[in-house]
Amino acid sequence: MNRTLAIAALVLGALAAIGGSPYRAQHANVDAARLARAIAHEDDHVTALELAEWIRDRKPRLRIIDLRSEREFATYHLPRAERVPIEAIPSTPFARDETLVLISDGGAHAAQAWVLLQSLGYRDVYFLRGGLGEWLDDVMSPAKPSDLTRYFGGVPRATGDEAAYGGGTSAAVKAMRRRGC
Amino acid sequence: MTAPLVDFAAFSAASQLAIAVFIGLAFGFALERAGLGDARKLAGQFYVTDFTVLKVMFSAIVTAMLGAYWLARLGVLDLARVFVPETYVLPQLAGGALFGIGFVLAGLCPGTSCVAAATGRGDGALTVVGMFAGVLATGLAFAPLRAFYASTARGSLTLPQLLDLPYGVVVCAIVAIALAVFRIVERWERRAA
C-alpha cells in the first residue's frame, strides 16, 4: 500500500465527513430581493408572441417545459414542448446554459415552478404569463392574423373557429381557450 | 458518456466517440499494467491467494468516489446529473452469481478478457467470443426472462439514501473500510508468500 496515497485518501475522506452535501439542489437558496426585482421588472415571463418568435427563430438552447397533465398535453401542446410534471421539476436536471420556458394552463403553476427553478440556481427561466390560453388566443387564432399565426398553422378568428388550430380536434382545444366565442 | 460533460461542454458525437476510445485505451492499459490480463492472477482472488483484483477495484472505487464528491462539492460536477443505474434486487443477485461462476471458470471478467485478448492470450479471445455469444443468447431468449428482469425494482439507490446517512460520512466510512481491508489483505498475502 502506497503510504502517501493512503494518507491523501484518508485526509480527503475525513474532510468529506464534515464537508457537507455535494448535491446542488440541497443548497437551494432564495435571494428574495433579487426575485422581487425580476418580477417588478417583468424579467420573469415571456408573452406568447415573444415565445412564438423564439420558436420560429430556432433560439439556441431553448427548452419549452409543459407542466400540464398528460391528457392535456396529448390534446394540444406547443411545437418542441416537453412535458415535465411540476413535482418532477426539482429533480429534473436542466443544463445551466439552457433557456427554460414554463407553460401551464393559466400561468399560476408555471410562475410557481419559476420560483422553484430560481431557488435551485437556474437563471435563464421564464414562464408564459397567460398560460396556454394566451398562446391559443394571441398566436394560433388572433383577431388580426400575423406571420406567426401562419407559421404555426393557426387560423385567424375572423375566418371561423371551426377551422382554427388546423381543424382536427379543435373542439377539445377550443375548451382550453380563455375567451370563448 | 454520462450526463455532465456532454451537457455542459456540448461535445459533438464524433468527439465523444474519440474521447471514449481514448478512455477505453487508457483503462485497458491500466488493467494490463495491474496484471489483470492474466487469468491465473484473477482466479487467485477466488482462491484467496492473490488480492490484486480486490485492491485494484477498491482503489478505483475510492479514487472515483473521492473525485466525484470533491468535484461536486467544489461545484465542478453536478452530481444530480450523473447516471445512477437502477437496482433490481433479485435479478441482480442472480446475475451476480452467474457472473461470478463465469469469472472463476474463465479467470477473466468482461474488461479483463478484452485486455487478455489484446495481449494475444487465446483464453482471453475465447472468453470474449463466449461473452458476446451469451449476450446474444440472452437477447434472443429475453421474452420469458422479461418478468424476472423487471422484478424487485428499487429505482436508483445510493448508499447515503439506503443508510440514511450524510453523503460525506459514507465517503469517509468507505475510505476507512478500504484502507483497513488493504492492510489486512496485504498482511495475509505476506503470510501466504
Side-chain angles (χ1 to χ4, degrees):
Chain A
M1 187 156 58
N2 183 314
R3 184 173 291 272
T4 319
L5 288 177
I7 292 172
L10 200 58
V11 169
L12 286 174
L15 286 175
I18 52 168
S21 166
Y23 288 108
R24 288 181 183 174
Q26 291 176 10
H27 296 292
N29 197 357
V30 183
D31 179 352
R34 189 184 63 76
L35 295 197
R37 276 196 305 277
I39 296 166
H41 291 152
E42 312 224 345
D43 290 336
D44 55 344
H45 60 256
V46 288
T47 66
L49 289 173
E50 283 168 334
L51 177 58
E53 281 175 14
W54 283 0
I55 299 173
R56 183 194 59 188
D57 299 342
R58 305 267 192 282
K59 184 178 164 67
R61 310 292 282 159
L62 173 67
R63 274 179 84 176
I64 301 167
I65 311 298
D66 195 325
L67 303 164
R68 298 173 306 142
S69 73
E70 205 169 345
R71 201 170 53 81
E72 290 170 313
F73 186 81
T75 305
Y76 179 81
H77 58 259
L78 268 62
R80 287 180 58 190
E82 53 194 302
R83 199 179 81 82
V84 180
I86 194 160
E87 57 268 38
I89 285 286
S91 57
T92 303
F94 301 105
R96 304 272 153 184
D97 61 347
E98 283 172 333
T99 301
L100 306 175
V101 176
L102 302 155
I103 295 176
S104 63
D105 231 346
H109 269 176
Q112 289 163 331
W114 178 83
V115 176
L116 293 179
L117 286 169
Q118 290 286 336
S119 76
L120 294 174
Y122 295 95
R123 292 290 173 264
D124 209 3
V125 186
Y126 307 90
F127 61 94
L128 184 59
R129 183 176 45 183
L132 192 75
E134 184 187 335
W135 172 269
L136 294 176
D137 285 345
D138 292 357
V139 177
M140 297 308 283
S141 68
K144 221 174 91 205
S146 69
D147 284 351
L148 285 169
T149 305
R150 277 185 288 277
Y151 179 82
F152 288 102
V155 177
R157 207 166 318 140
T159 65
D161 266 344
E162 310 317 313
Y165 324 116
T169 58
S170 68
V173 176
K174 221 160 74 180
M176 293 176 176
R177 285 184 36 184
R178 289 181 304 178
R179 298 194 290 264
C181 288
Chain B
M1 235 159 76
T2 330
L5 284 178
V6 176
D7 283 358
F8 288 115
F11 292 122
S12 70
S15 52
Q16 281 180 47
L17 284 176
I19 292 168
V21 167
F22 174 75
I23 294 176
L25 286 173
F27 180 57
F29 181 78
L31 282 179
E32 161 58 27
R33 295 308 301 155
L36 295 190
D38 180 1
R40 282 191 192 82
K41 205 167 186 64
L42 275 85
Q45 180 64 64
F46 291 90
Y47 297 108
V48 289
T49 53
D50 188 325
F51 284 85
T52 308
V53 174
L54 183 138
K55 285 190 282 186
V56 168
M57 288 301 167
F58 218 165
S59 348
I61 289 169
V62 166
T63 309
M65 178 184 67
L66 285 171
Y69 174 85
W70 281 108
L71 286 178
R73 193 67 195 81
L74 298 172
V76 179
L77 172 76
D78 190 349
L79 212 51
R81 304 178 72 92
V82 175
F83 175 70
V84 180
E86 290 179 38
T87 298
Y88 297 89
V89 180
L90 286 178
Q92 283 169 351
L93 281 174
L98 197 60
F99 184 92
I101 293 170
F103 197 158
V104 72
L105 282 178
L108 295 165
C109 68
T112 50
S113 66
C114 293
V115 171
T119 52
R121 290 181 169 94
D123 61 336
L126 281 176
T127 307
V128 172
V129 171
M131 184 172 69
F132 280 105
V135 169
L136 185 67
T138 309
L140 291 174
F142 188 61
L145 291 173
R146 186 184 294 274
F148 178 63
Y149 179 88
S151 65
T152 53
R154 294 286 182 275
S156 292
L157 268 188
T158 61
L159 283 179
Q161 285 168 5
L162 193 66
L163 303 173
D164 199 18
L165 283 172
Y167 201 107
V169 171
V170 174
V171 168
C172 182
I174 290 175
V175 171
I177 292 170
L179 294 179
V181 167
F182 291 160
R183 218 193 164 96
I184 293 167
V185 298
E186 289 198 338
R187 198 167 292 171
W188 175 283
E189 278 176 330
R190 263 200 301 277
R191 199 179 304 162

